[in-house]
Amino acid sequence: MSPLPHHSPVRARQRGSIAVSAAFAVLIGLVVLLSVQVGYLFYMKRELQKAADLAALSAAQVLVAGDDACAAGASPTLLAAKGAAVKNVAGIVDTIAASDVTVDCKLWDPNRPDAGGMYLFDPDPSKGERLNAVRVRIDKALGALIPSVVGGWIGGTQASVVAVAAASKPTAAFSVGSKLLGTESTGALMSLLRVVGVDPDLSLVGYEGLVGATITPAGLLRELGIPVTADLNVGDLNALLAANQVSVGQLLDAVVNLAGHDELLGLNAAVLNAIGASLNMDSLNVQLGTEAAEGAMRGLFAAITAPTTAQEALGIKLDALGLITSAIGVATAGNAAAIDIPASGLLSALGLDLSVKAAVVEPPSIGIGQARHGAIPGARAYTSQIRLNLNIGTSSSGLGGLLGALGTSITLPIFVDVVNAQGELTETMCSERPRKAAVEVKSAVLGACLGKPISMADAFSKKDMCATNMSADTEFVRLLGVSLLHGKVAPLSILPAPAEEVIVAEDGPPVSTSANPLALGATISGLLDELLSGSLSGGTQTKVDPLPADTAQTLADNYLNRIGPSITGTEISRIKNWMDTDGLVWKRPGGLLGLTSVTMPEEWVAKVASCRSGSTYGRDCVRGRLVSSLQSPNQCGLLSCILDPIVGLLLGTGDGANGLLQTILKPIVELLKLVAPALDGVGGALSSLLNTLGLNLGPVDVQLHSIDCGQVSLVY
């Protein structure tokens, strides 16, 4: 029998190990190929993301420059985004086409998240919202790096990337200042200090070291110890500023410290001492902000409006010297100072007195924000508005005293607002070197009204004193007891200047508007129309029949119960004012021999003088005189009875019917209107003449503190 063949176990084991090794080699190769393919996909997605980022940044830059609507077709924003995306992927295995890129222009608002977490919205123009962000999306089907079985497994993967770039709009800080009549050497700060009664010899030369020095609102708040949070929005910032008041000394010291000129702390103290000699320093505080409500009391900064962000406003640069001037204006607002007027021989001879007071009623402010956009107004700043109160009236001595005895008096309370101006940012020119801004200025040389204020305490603190604080009926002229002229002259805009746009350079000198054209014809026509419109009239005032005895006693007790047990001259005046307010002003004979007329309350004050003992009045005596006067009949003085109807016929009686004089003068006024253009020409020639002499009437100075032209950054 033949032996069986012999097989070596070693050789069999060798054949098995080769098969396993080959299998492992194939597996490793597949893993390597898969890794390469996956790595390629990650690489391509990263490149696509970089392309989307760069495309969004490029498009946002174009959006800043032109505020493009991002419409389809040849939109600059759309072309910039797609062009940047295509070029930044060029040369890679998988390139993209413009059709792979989707571009949307949106509003990015970090204070209100959307459902997708991108903070993107469609802007609402009615709220002042504008496009400020570009979203770029790239959708690309990625092919296989190695077309094989592996490529069949994972090739054709759809990759999608998104990038959002947001741009802040250009923001500017500027201020406006005015001067009624002056030369180029007139300093705004010195002029302001003169208004509040500070010694004009005070030297402010040291402040020249602040020229060119800038600080930021954020730095100012930090120096004043007012905390600012990172998530502050515009509304919160306005509220924060409006809610904080600091002393003028704190603010001046903070400004010079931030500007690096602590050597001026002594000058600050000198200015404060000078102001304190005229005003109560305890009441001089600076409100930092202005509330958003229309007509709100203005602070150092005018109201900041959207779409400016709080961070943009806080980082803008401000002129240090301008801040000091504005701060003093805000602190001294409403503090009237008497102005010394040399005695006039003519006025004294006529028995007249003249007194003048002045005050800052609307302080200067600094505007921060963006330019006008369509119907959305731009940032605004206001000049310092000065109010003058001129009182012309008969004196109590000499001829004035004699006229008073004859029932004749003149009272002319005149309020004049001097150079009220507003500047509105209309354009920022970031491509210019130096950068520039356009500001539209509206102003008027004078605004005036004639009449007594309802409250003299508010005469220098209300924004629109002439509109909100004027008595409805002021007696201006009384002749022999007859109210010859009474009423009021409503607010008048005298010599308004047309709106003018000025171009101001950053870090450049202030630019002044043109001199006022002195539109004399239009102004005179307006004044004549107002005077003849029936607002002024003569004749009798409101008549009230005397009261029955029981009504008189009840009313007298009512007045006396409203005062304390001790009656002094102050209480007598209060009772008279109550009767005037209640319309108990029928006429009574008065003056010399009863020839003229006085009102019943005036007659009562004269009669009650006999009730006085020392500094007080007997209560029963005062009551008896009051009850008697309340029952007195309506009766004019002898001369008043003759003159009153004549005056009413000439001037009208205030019941809507024109007097004879008004009827005669109206055709003359209409004729004067025909020559108004010629008068306007005369005014223009006069303005030009003043300008050649180095004097400007009503110029408004505009200063641009700084421009932040906006930054573009990726936000998603």
Side-chain angles (χ1 to χ4, degrees):
M1 221 176 137
S2 300
L4 292 175
H6 176 74
H7 295 284
S8 172
V10 176
R11 186 176 299 174
R13 286 197 301 271
Q14 287 177 347
R15 285 200 303 267
S17 64
I18 292 173
V20 172
S21 298
F24 273 110
V26 171
L27 181 60
I28 292 172
L30 290 174
V31 171
V32 170
L33 290 174
L34 182 61
S35 300
V36 170
Q37 181 67 31
V38 172
Y40 166 72
L41 294 179
F42 276 109
Y43 168 76
M44 279 302 301
K45 190 165 185 178
R46 187 188 65 180
E47 291 300 314
L48 290 176
Q49 185 64 61
K50 287 168 56 179
D53 293 347
L54 292 172
L57 289 170
S58 299
Q61 292 281 6
V62 177
L63 189 67
V64 171
D67 201 19
D68 177 71
C70 207
S75 159
T77 303
L78 190 66
L79 294 176
K82 293 194 173 187
V86 171
K87 289 181 180 178
N88 280 289
V89 188
I92 304 175
V93 176
D94 273 352
T95 59
I96 62 173
S99 58
D100 298 324
V101 183
T102 303
V103 181
D104 296 306
C105 293
K106 297 285 186 178
L107 166 70
W108 181 72
D109 186 350
N111 295 311
R112 47 172 180 161
D114 63 352
M118 292 187 186
Y119 302 89
L120 291 180
F121 307 89
D122 290 321
D124 184 352
S126 65
K127 297 180 180 178
E129 297 175 346
R130 311 180 193 180
L131 298 170
N132 69 345
V134 177
R135 178 174 60 193
V136 175
R137 180 186 180 94
I138 300 178
D139 296 290
K140 176 66 178 175
L142 299 176
L145 179 63
I146 302 175
S148 62
V149 176
V150 176
W153 289 346
I154 61 174
T157 300
Q158 188 72 20
S160 296
V161 294
V162 178
V164 179
S168 59
K169 290 289 183 180
T171 302
F174 67 101
S175 57
V176 294
S178 63
K179 49 195 178 188
L180 177 61
L181 187 65
T183 64
E184 295 301 322
S185 62
T186 303
L189 179 55
M190 197 67 245
S191 300
L192 186 60
L193 290 174
R194 288 193 183 97
V195 170
V196 298
V198 174
D199 185 357
D201 294 331
L202 180 68
S203 175
L204 301 177
V205 176
Y207 281 135
E208 292 180 355
L210 293 177
V211 174
T214 60
I215 63 177
T216 65
L220 181 62
L221 293 177
R222 185 169 55 252
E223 184 73 15
L224 293 172
I226 299 174
V228 177
T229 59
D231 59 348
L232 206 65
N233 59 35
V234 173
D236 294 336
L237 177 58
N238 279 325
L240 175 68
L241 293 173
N244 277 279
Q245 289 189 350
V246 297
S247 71
V248 63
Q250 285 179 285
L251 190 55
L252 296 188
D253 288 349
V255 171
V256 298
N257 282 330
L258 282 172
H261 288 272
D262 54 1
E263 74 277 4
L264 296 177
L265 294 175
L267 181 54
N268 283 347
V271 171
L272 294 176
N273 288 336
I275 295 176
S278 303
L279 306 175
N280 179 14
M281 287 300 299
D282 293 336
S283 63
L284 294 185
N285 292 319
V286 180
Q287 180 173 306
L288 296 180
T290 301
E291 296 175 359
E294 185 68 25
M297 183 60 70
R298 289 198 289 267
L300 182 62
F301 298 104
I304 303 167
T305 57
T308 304
T309 67
Q311 297 307 315
E312 289 168 345
L314 288 169
I316 203 77
K317 293 180 180 179
L318 302 172
D319 177 72
L321 185 55
L323 267 176
I324 286 181
T325 304
S326 299
I328 291 177
V330 174
T332 57
N335 291 275
I339 298 177
D340 292 330
I341 302 294
S344 169
L346 178 60
L347 287 178
S348 299
L350 295 175
L352 298 175
D353 284 336
L354 170 65
S355 64
V356 181
K357 288 186 177 181
V360 176
V361 292
E362 282 297 317
S365 60
I366 296 171
I368 299 176
Q370 298 174 4
R372 181 194 300 164
H373 179 74
I376 308 302
R380 293 176 177 175
Y382 302 86
T383 184
S384 177
Q385 178 181 329
I386 310 300
R387 178 168 296 156
L388 300 175
N389 174 214
L390 298 85
N391 282 292
I392 304 173
T394 47
S395 61
S396 58
S397 60
L399 180 58
L402 178 60
L403 291 174
L406 295 174
T408 299
S409 62
I410 297 174
T411 303
L412 296 176
I414 303 171
F415 288 88
V416 180
D417 290 340
V418 183
V419 191
N420 182 23
Q422 167 195 289
E424 180 181 353
L425 186 65
T426 58
E427 184 181 1
T428 48
M429 307 173 188
C430 290
S431 59
E432 299 282 341
R433 291 295 179 270
R435 293 176 292 190
K436 298 178 181 178
V439 178
E440 183 182 77
V441 179
K442 297 177 182 178
S443 68
V445 172
L446 298 176
C449 57
L450 181 64
K452 288 184 177 179
I454 297 173
S455 168
M456 192 63 195
D458 294 330
F460 290 99
S461 61
K462 288 181 178 279
K463 177 183 178 182
D464 297 318
M465 203 291 302
C466 290
T468 62
N469 193 31
M470 279 190 70
S471 298
D473 192 35
T474 298
E475 183 179 79
F476 300 119
V477 180
R478 172 178 285 200
L479 177 62
L480 299 178
V482 176
S483 180
L484 186 64
L485 199 64
H486 60 86
K488 71 175 182 179
V489 176
L492 299 173
S493 182
I494 302 176
L495 301 177
E500 180 179 350
E501 190 173 71
V502 297
I503 307 298
V504 197
E506 185 179 29
D507 297 329
V511 177
S512 296
T513 60
S514 303
N516 190 281
L518 295 179
L520 297 178
T523 298
I524 291 174
S525 295
L527 285 171
L528 291 174
D529 277 341
E530 183 66 31
L531 291 173
L532 297 178
S533 66
S535 60
L536 298 182
S537 58
T540 59
Q541 297 183 10
T542 305
K543 297 180 180 179
V544 179
D545 292 332
L547 305 176
D550 56 343
T551 303
Q553 293 175 11
T554 300
L555 189 57
D557 290 336
N558 178 271
Y559 286 145
L560 290 171
N561 289 336
R562 293 163 66 181
I563 60 176
S566 178
I567 302 177
T568 65
T570 300
E571 281 69 38
I572 296 297
S573 297
R574 291 177 65 192
I575 295 174
K576 176 186 178 299
N577 291 337
W578 290 334
M579 288 193 288
D580 289 338
T581 302
D582 292 340
L584 306 176
V585 288
W586 56 83
K587 292 191 174 182
R588 297 291 300 151
L592 185 64
L593 302 178
L595 296 177
T596 61
S597 297
V598 296
T599 64
M600 183 276 292
E602 290 173 338
E603 181 189 49
W604 171 75
V605 170
K607 287 182 177 180
V608 85
S610 61
C611 300
R612 181 174 179 176
S613 177
S615 60
T616 60
Y617 294 74
R619 195 176 188 88
D620 291 340
C621 180
V622 169
R623 182 184 183 278
R625 299 282 194 278
L626 184 54
V627 171
S628 175
S629 293
L630 288 170
Q631 298 179 80
S632 63
N634 177 50
Q635 181 181 347
C636 57
L638 180 61
L639 289 178
S640 300
C641 290
I642 298 173
L643 292 176
D644 194 49
I646 299 174
V647 172
L649 178 65
L650 290 175
L651 297 178
T653 57
D655 57 2
N658 288 333
L660 180 61
L661 187 60
Q662 292 170 308
T663 304
I664 295 173
L665 289 180
K666 274 192 177 296
I668 300 176
V669 171
E670 296 301 321
L671 182 61
L672 285 174
K673 288 183 179 180
L674 296 177
V675 298
L679 292 175
D680 288 341
V682 172
L686 177 59
S687 178
S688 298
L689 177 61
L690 290 172
N691 193 37
T692 59
L693 296 175
L695 300 174
N696 291 327
L697 186 60
V700 176
D701 299 328
V702 182
Q703 182 174 9
L704 180 63
H705 294 256
S706 63
I707 296 180
D708 182 350
C709 285
Q711 303 294 325
V712 175
S713 59
L714 288 170
V715 294
Y716 184 86

